[in-house]
């Protein structure tokens, strides 16, 4: 099986399109991250200004302590929400890369299998064992790749569950702390 110039150019064109598509997805992720950070910073500055004004206008120590105590619950909730947004951005960007990688890997696997089959048809007599070994190696590599993908998916799911659990626990702890102080 020999490659023609048109096949090589077509493969290169497809590879460049994939590269530019992934680059655009990476920039989208960075844009979302920058937007999240700007929004969070703007909100933090606004809240800090408002809280400082409240502290400066406190009439007694009890009101001052109450204002300080009420600051922490929203802060914990906002931190948890920020971390969820951050994780969602990273997860979405990562899934785009994973999807592209899986498509390319499937395509390469198919092409390699076709090459092995084509070579097997044109192989000299007596090379059946070598062809069988090659097909077995391709099958083993495919199975290993599938197992790796499943493991990565399970790890991602577990990480997401842990992030959600930590965020929920932090928000509940902050809520309980504020309730006890009142």
């Amino acid at each position: 099986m020999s490659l023609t110039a048109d096949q090589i150019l077509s493969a290169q064109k497809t590879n460049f399109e994939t590269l530019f598509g992934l680059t655009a997805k990476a920039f989208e992720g960075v844009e979302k991250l920058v937007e999240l950070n700007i929004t969070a910073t703007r909100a933090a500055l606004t809240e800090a200004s408002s809280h400082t004004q409240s502290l400066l206008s406190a009439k007694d120590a009890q009101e001052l302590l109450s204002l300080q105590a009420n600051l922490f619950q929203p802060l914990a909730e906002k931190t948890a929400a920020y971390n969820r947004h951050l994780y969602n951005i990273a997860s979405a960007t990562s899934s785009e890369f994973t999807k592209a990688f899986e498509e390319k890997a499937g395509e390469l696997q198919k092409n390699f299998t076709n090459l092995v089959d084509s070579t097997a048809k044109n192989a000299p007599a007596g090379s059946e064992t070598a062809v069988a070994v090659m097909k077995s190696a391709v099958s083993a590599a495919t199975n290993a790749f599938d197992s790796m993908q499943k493991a990565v998916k399970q790890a991602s799911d577990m990480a997401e569950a842990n992030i959600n659990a930590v965020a929920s626990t932090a928000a509940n702890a902050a809520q309980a702390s504020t309730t006890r102080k009142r």
Side-chain angles (χ1 to χ4, degrees):
M1 180 175 152
S2 62
L3 295 174
T4 65
D6 287 339
Q7 289 172 324
I8 293 171
L9 287 174
S10 176
Q12 288 290 47
K13 180 182 176 189
T14 301
N15 289 339
F16 279 124
E17 288 171 357
T18 300
L19 175 65
F20 288 125
L22 290 175
T23 302
K25 290 295 179 188
F27 276 110
E28 284 177 25
V30 170
E31 285 175 344
K32 288 177 183 177
L33 183 60
V34 168
E35 183 180 330
L36 174 65
N37 286 331
I38 288 173
T39 302
T41 302
R42 183 177 291 131
L45 287 173
T46 301
E47 289 171 16
S49 174
S50 173
H51 188 69
T52 301
Q53 291 298 322
S54 296
L55 290 175
L56 292 174
S57 65
K59 296 183 183 21
D60 58 26
Q62 183 64 28
E63 185 179 352
L64 185 65
L65 290 174
S66 176
L67 287 169
Q68 279 299 98
N70 291 335
L71 173 70
F72 293 109
Q73 179 191 359
L75 183 61
E77 291 171 357
K78 289 174 184 162
T79 300
Y82 174 84
N83 286 332
R84 275 194 300 274
H85 284 297
L86 186 63
Y87 176 79
N88 289 339
I89 291 168
S91 179
T93 302
S94 174
S95 76
E96 289 292 332
F97 277 84
T98 300
K99 180 181 166 188
F101 176 73
E102 288 172 354
E103 288 174 2
K104 282 295 175 187
E107 187 179 307
L108 288 171
Q109 179 184 352
K110 180 182 163 194
N111 290 343
F112 188 72
T113 301
N114 289 341
L115 177 65
V116 169
D117 289 342
S118 173
T119 303
K121 289 178 187 173
N122 299 322
S127 61
E128 292 82 15
T129 304
V131 170
V133 167
M134 180 66 91
K135 284 186 177 184
S136 177
V138 169
S139 177
T142 300
N143 290 338
F145 180 73
D146 289 343
S147 295
M148 182 187 69
Q149 283 181 311
K150 288 176 185 173
V152 168
K153 174 75 170 118
Q154 287 175 343
S156 293
D157 290 346
M158 191 181 315
E160 183 174 3
N162 287 340
I163 285 173
N164 289 335
V166 167
S168 176
T169 301
N172 290 341
Q175 176 69 36
S177 174
T178 302
T179 302
R180 273 186 261 140
K181 289 180 183 177
R182 290 182 185 170

